């Protein structure tokens, strides 16, 4: 499966475009699918986007970051975090 096929709101956002995460980052996309609907999703996203001291990473292209941000927005709407 792909994020586009698993999350209908994400598919609506993408419209006829291909997901950068599905295409170029299948391991990340697969982990997001596994964590979708769970509080661990937020921790995983934070770990992806925050560079820890001493850790050398090249980061994601802007388009992939936009997709991650949209997924976070959708997730927060569907599964609000308990305060």
């Amino acid at each position: 499966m792909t994020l586009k096929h698993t999350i209908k709101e994400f598919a609506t956002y993408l419209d006829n475009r291909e997901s950068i995460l599905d295409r170029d980052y299948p391991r990340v996309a697969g982990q997001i699918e596994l964590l979708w609907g769970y509080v661990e999703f937020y921790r995983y996203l934070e770990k992806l986007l925050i560079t820890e001291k001493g850790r050398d990473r090249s980061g994601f292209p802007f388009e992939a970051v936009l997709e991650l941000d949209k997924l976070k927005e959708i997730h927060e709407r569907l599964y609000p975090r308990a305060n």
Side-chain angles (χ1 to χ4, degrees), residues 3-57:
L3 293 171
K4 188 172 181 174
H5 288 97
T6 303
I7 305 165
K8 68 178 181 174
E9 295 83 359
F10 188 56
T12 301
Y13 162 74
L14 290 172
D15 194 27
N16 62 351
R17 293 176 291 141
E18 181 180 24
S19 168
I20 305 291
L21 296 172
D22 285 332
R23 184 188 71 208
D24 297 341
Y25 302 94
R27 288 183 61 205
V28 170
Q31 192 64 25
I32 289 171
E33 284 183 69
L34 286 173
L35 298 174
W36 192 255
Y38 296 96
V39 70
E40 290 81 9
F41 168 83
Y42 298 109
R43 283 186 232 131
Y44 181 68
L45 221 57
E46 288 170 7
K47 190 174 181 181
L48 285 176
L49 296 173
I50 297 173
T51 304
E52 297 171 1
K53 189 175 182 177
R55 201 168 165 199
D56 187 28
R57 293 187 356 186

